[in-house]
Amino acid sequence: ICSCFGHGVREKATTNNYSTLAQKGQIHLGPSKRSRRAIMSVDNFKYPEFYSFPPFFTIQKVLATREKQLVLWRELILRYHTELKIKNLVVHECPLWKNDKIQRRLEPDEIQIVMRDFCQSGHGEWLDEGTVARILWRKPDQLATDIYQWADKNGYINSVCTVYELHSGEDVNGMSFQGADEELLRRALAILEQRGKCKLFKGDTSEEDGIKFFS
């Protein structure tokens, strides 16, 4: 390994040397254009270059370096689950915690540090504390904006669609809320309802509940 992140510092170093430098704050785990470049693809997901950087799998002791490291973990977890349309993260099953190619992994206590930070960021929430977390591909207010922009663009203003059509209809292919958790969708719709931008109507089932959008 002869490169690292941040300010373009280059060192020929062993894994141990890199870890020492990171702990001293002499190298940075912050994102850069180069570090975001994909270097491998598994299950149609392209991992960023920093995923092959050994110190990424050890929670750093220097606070400033750790904060940058946790930002990268947040981005990785969110992008992985969003792109693969995975709604929940089961902690003991998540493949992100280890990279067999470089034989590195996060320890269980480090995984909990990463997950606590991720949930505190607003993009995750525990369904079972420490075990299973719901992934919020988009935060409810962001999702509300996405939904309304979609409704406006596709002629649904003053028209009605169902909750099912909103997460699984043909018109939502490629949208941020396609396949989204229904509870999360309803939070977003509640925000739009509070803004006077939509109204929900009861159907025979929850998925048949109707939504009318207003200008």
Side-chain angles (χ1 to χ4, degrees), residues 144 184-196 198 200:
L184 181 56
L185 273 183
R186 289 182 179 276
R187 289 189 212 171
L189 291 170
I191 291 172
L192 289 178
E193 204 165 23
Q194 290 170 0
R195 295 174 182 170
C198 80
L200 269 69

Side-chain angles (χ1 to χ4, degrees), residues 150-152 154-161 165 171 212-214:
W150 166 83
D152 187 31
N154 289 276
Y156 280 96
I157 302 301
N158 296 318
S159 296
V160 176
C161 71
E165 290 172 323
D171 289 345
K212 185 171 184 178
F213 294 97
F214 305 111

Side-chain angles (χ1 to χ4, degrees), residues 71-86:
V71 167
L72 293 184
W73 271 111
R74 278 180 236 154
E75 293 175 353
L76 176 62
I77 293 168
L78 182 61
R79 187 165 70 82
Y80 180 86
H81 288 80
T82 300
E83 290 186 12
L84 299 183
K85 297 295 184 182
I86 301 172

Side-chain angles (χ1 to χ4, degrees), residues 55-60 66 69-70 73 97 104-116:
F56 183 61
F57 291 87
T58 300
I59 297 300
Q60 299 301 306
R66 177 188 292 206
Q69 179 185 24
L70 290 175
W73 271 111
W97 311 136
R104 294 301 297 268
R105 67 170 64 216
L106 284 179
E107 295 298 330
D109 59 326
E110 295 177 314
I111 292 171
Q112 290 302 318
I113 290 172
V114 169
M115 284 304 300
R116 279 197 300 271

Side-chain angles (χ1 to χ4, degrees), residues 94-110:
C94 181
L96 296 177
W97 311 136
K98 66 176 182 175
N99 184 340
D100 290 332
K101 186 175 180 180
I102 60 172
Q103 297 184 326
R104 294 301 297 268
R105 67 170 64 216
L106 284 179
E107 295 298 330
D109 59 326
E110 295 177 314

